[in-house]
Amino acid sequence: MKTKWLLFLLLIPLFACTTQSTFPLSKAEKDKIQGEVKAAANEIRKACDEVNADALIGAVLDSPDFLYMMNGNVITHKEFVENVKPIFAEMKSQKITILDEQFAFPDNTSVLYVANYTDTVHYKDGRVTLDESGIWTMLFKNTDKGWKMAYGSETFITRPLIDKSTGGLNQMELVKQFAGTWKGEMGKDTSFVWSSNGVFTDNVLLFDLKMMVKGKPVSEGKSSVVYDKRSGKFIETEHIKGSDPVVYAWWFTADNMINSVMIHDIATPDKAAMNATLEFGKDGTAKQVFYKSEKEVWSVNYTRQK
């Protein structure tokens, strides 16, 4: 009989432990947990601001069930650890600003944290970017080491604020080098001609474009260029009759050198699959070189006609 009573007494705490998580939380309990989870979320934000990879890794749950999603890309805990350090190694600092945050309580051992935010990132190479419309979702689990992020998700839109290559150069002054009519030999009997006065009128710089074969135009078009002060880059839209418009971003990297990329690569020009350079010579010449995956694939030599 004593054995039965002893077994019954041992089952009481076990029963209490297995049913405790089903009890509804009081407001006081929710407030306490919310404060703890907010502190855990702040530690993650602080680790990001200080680009402290070890602190960020220590704030997440080391589990095969851990998942993190960034703009649709899902990674495991192992991949998270492998990616954080090289990403942070490119940064000097970042500043995450929480615009608002909310908490939900799926059960007594987990809390869902959702925040709207912006993030300004300063890179070691001089670039500065802004992540806008950010939504950060984190599921925190209560462990013997405190609240840890068991799942995370980020979505945001990135735009450049400053690029290392534009610093200290008067872009609007240097663009005057485009003035004139320039002819580039594209192949046998084929040339490409562009002309401009090199002056912005109503904040727009215009180019006339012609593809010539044996001295006669076979296609014509125009380009319109505007200057984006926030990024320090020129945005060019090229319209060739019979073709879809093409949009580029370009900027001076030196007094006589331009780099250009397609508009969708403007935020990360150093990672663009394709780019081109244009170098002005002192003798009325210019050379344009096209690159694919950092390898030169084509070049065109131009001379100023007038």
Side-chain angles (χ1 to χ4, degrees):
M1 194 57 139
K2 289 182 179 180
T3 303
K4 291 182 179 180
W5 275 107
L6 179 60
L7 180 60
F8 178 75
L9 292 172
L10 289 173
L11 285 173
I12 289 176
L14 177 61
F15 180 78
C17 290
T18 58
T19 60
Q20 183 179 5
S21 62
T22 63
F23 294 158
L25 294 170
S26 66
K27 184 179 184 306
E29 290 172 322
K30 285 185 177 181
D31 289 345
K32 180 177 180 298
I33 292 174
Q34 181 170 313
E36 294 171 350
V37 170
K38 183 179 177 67
N42 285 341
E43 286 301 313
I44 290 175
R45 178 186 54 75
K46 180 182 177 183
C48 293
D49 285 351
E50 298 175 352
V51 290
N52 187 333
D54 290 332
L56 180 58
I57 292 169
V60 306
L61 187 65
D62 186 355
S63 166
D65 296 325
F66 174 90
L67 290 174
Y68 199 86
M69 181 187 297
M70 182 176 291
N71 278 350
N73 297 313
V74 183
I75 58 176
T76 63
H77 182 271
K78 181 176 181 293
E79 293 168 329
F80 182 90
V81 172
E82 292 173 346
N83 281 274
V84 165
K85 290 189 175 182
I87 290 174
F88 276 13
E90 297 179 1
M91 300 178 183
K92 184 167 61 176
S93 67
Q94 59 179 324
K95 176 61 178 176
I96 298 174
T97 302
I98 302 299
L99 304 178
D100 62 67
E101 55 190 0
Q102 299 180 38
F103 300 83
F105 299 82
D107 55 55
N108 293 6
T109 61
S110 60
V111 176
L112 185 65
Y113 172 88
V114 181
N116 292 317
Y117 73 95
T118 62
D119 182 16
T120 303
V121 184
H122 294 258
Y123 290 88
K124 292 178 180 178
D125 64 7
R127 286 180 295 130
V128 182
T129 61
L130 174 65
D131 294 338
E132 298 178 298
S133 304
I135 301 176
W136 204 354
T137 303
M138 292 181 275
L139 180 67
F140 286 90
K141 287 284 187 180
N142 196 6
T143 72
D144 56 356
K145 295 182 180 179
W147 293 93
K148 300 289 183 181
M149 179 173 62
Y151 168 83
S153 173
E154 284 184 79
T155 59
F156 52 85
I157 299 171
T158 299
R159 68 176 177 87
L161 294 181
I162 300 174
D163 187 273
K164 63 174 181 178
S165 55
T166 62
L169 296 173
N170 188 332
Q171 299 285 325
M172 293 294 285
E173 183 67 25
L174 294 173
V175 80
K176 294 178 181 178
Q177 295 175 84
F178 278 102
T181 297
W182 299 76
K183 181 180 179 181
E185 300 301 328
M186 311 291 287
K188 184 179 180 180
D189 299 326
T190 303
S191 59
F192 181 67
V193 179
W194 47 267
S195 59
S196 172
N197 61 8
V199 177
F200 278 78
T201 303
D202 295 328
N203 299 316
V204 179
L205 175 66
L206 296 176
F207 288 87
D208 289 316
L209 312 173
K210 291 182 181 180
M211 184 68 75
M212 313 285 287
V213 175
K214 294 183 178 180
K216 296 182 179 180
V218 294
S219 64
E220 298 181 62
K222 290 184 179 294
S223 272
S224 56
V225 181
V226 296
Y227 183 61
D228 179 23
K229 292 182 180 180
R230 293 177 299 179
S231 65
K233 294 179 172 64
F234 297 94
I235 310 300
E236 178 175 358
T237 304
E238 181 182 282
H239 303 265
I240 302 293
K241 292 179 181 178
S243 302
D244 292 332
V246 181
V247 184
Y248 308 89
W250 52 266
W251 60 101
F252 282 87
T253 60
D255 288 344
N256 65 331
M257 178 71 78
I258 287 170
N259 189 37
S260 63
V261 296
M262 300 299 289
I263 191 64
H264 56 261
D265 289 318
I266 187 173
T268 54
D270 55 323
K271 297 180 180 179
M274 295 189 67
N275 71 295
T277 60
L278 179 67
E279 183 177 8
F280 289 100
K282 295 181 179 180
D283 54 353
T285 62
K287 182 177 182 178
Q288 189 170 28
V289 182
F290 296 85
Y291 299 89
K292 185 174 183 179
S293 300
E294 299 183 352
K295 293 182 179 179
E296 181 178 336
V297 293
W298 191 38
S299 65
V300 181
N301 292 307
Y302 291 92
T303 55
R304 184 187 281 118
Q305 306 297 295
K306 57 181 181 179

